[in-house]
Amino acid sequence: MNNVAKLLTALAIMGSLAGCARTAPIANVHSTVSSGHTQSQVKNAILKAGQERKWIMSEAAPGEINARQQSRDHMAEVRINYTATSYSITYANSQNLKASGGKIHKNYNRWIYNLDKDIQLNLSAGSDL
């Protein structure tokens, strides 16, 4: 019985430590835009979301925006490609986010998902884009 208790305790500790992992697979977003939007409206929704989340956004080419997020000594850069019907947010570079082997600090994924959420909200509001 004592060995079973030790085994269960060890498994509980291992499970707790796994939940505290600071890295996760790098998130890339690929979203479809509902019909009725122009490429300009999608671009404006992306730029507005970036501004709201304090991303530094710059147009790299038609249909492509480079974005940079800085938080203390952590930095992430992404490439956002867009059309009137879709957009994607793809990892480009980072500093101090433990990026290695397709994994990165969990904060990066939170930044990306929040940016995506705000783009979606801006597109659903629609009229002021």
Side-chain angles (χ1 to χ4, degrees):
M1 186 67 156
N2 195 15
N3 287 340
V4 173
K6 287 180 183 179
L7 178 63
L8 291 175
T9 302
L11 289 174
I13 290 171
M14 288 175 33
S16 296
L17 291 175
C20 294
R22 291 187 179 196
T23 60
I26 294 174
N28 290 309
V29 172
H30 304 285
S31 292
T32 302
V33 175
S34 62
S35 62
H37 289 90
T38 65
Q39 184 167 344
S40 179
Q41 287 174 317
V42 174
K43 172 186 165 184
N44 290 339
I46 293 166
L47 293 174
K48 183 178 177 186
Q51 180 182 17
E52 292 167 349
R53 291 282 174 180
K54 298 188 177 13
W55 284 81
I56 299 167
M57 311 287 261
S58 60
E59 242 184 299
E64 184 178 319
I65 295 171
N66 289 332
R68 177 185 173 114
Q69 176 69 277
Q70 186 85 38
S71 177
R72 296 181 308 271
D73 63 339
H74 301 86
M75 182 276 299
E77 293 176 335
V78 298
R79 181 168 298 110
I80 305 171
N81 294 306
Y82 64 91
T83 66
T85 58
S86 68
Y87 66 89
S88 62
I89 304 171
T90 308
Y91 173 83
N93 191 21
S94 65
Q95 289 180 342
N96 296 326
L97 288 174
K98 304 177 188 253
S100 176
K103 294 190 175 214
I104 196 163
H105 195 285
K106 289 194 286 188
N107 282 349
Y108 168 83
N109 289 341
R110 184 173 43 87
W111 293 345
I112 296 305
Y113 293 137
N114 284 336
L115 180 62
D116 179 44
K117 179 185 74 165
D118 286 356
I119 294 168
Q120 292 292 331
L121 289 171
N122 291 338
L123 288 168
S124 67
S127 61
D128 58 345
L129 297 176

